Amino acid sequence: MTNGRNGIVAAVGLSFLTGCFIGGIAGVLLAPQSGVRTRRKLANFVDDVQERAGEMTEDATGAMQSAVERGRRAANV
């Protein structure tokens, strides 16, 4: 039962992040600005997304390692 709930939460989270990404790109591309300025904003946006993705990866890795450690301790009990 827990796996189903976690899957739904992951799907909703991924959908939200995808929507944010697409909305950000659309906002930058549709803004009435010069091409140079738009490309600079787009590059900054991509850098921000990469940084956030790295942070999320680190958080997920830490959570996974913690869960594995808890499982190992529970198995040894």
Side-chain angles (χ1 to χ4, degrees):
M1 186 74 168
T2 304
N3 289 339
R5 188 177 291 175
N6 288 341
I8 292 171
V9 170
V12 169
L14 183 60
S15 298
F16 177 75
L17 291 175
T18 302
C20 288
F21 180 75
I22 291 171
I25 295 293
V28 169
L29 292 176
L30 297 175
Q33 301 173 22
S34 70
V36 172
R37 189 170 181 191
T38 299
R39 286 190 295 274
R40 187 179 316 124
K41 278 188 156 186
L42 186 56
N44 289 339
F45 176 75
V46 170
D47 289 342
D48 290 344
V49 168
Q50 287 176 336
E51 183 179 334
R52 288 182 190 145
E55 291 170 358
M56 290 176 66
T57 301
E58 289 175 11
D59 291 345
T61 301
M64 183 63 78
Q65 289 173 345
S66 176
V68 167
E69 184 60 34
R70 284 193 308 255
R72 285 182 181 154
R73 277 189 258 138
N76 288 333
V77 171

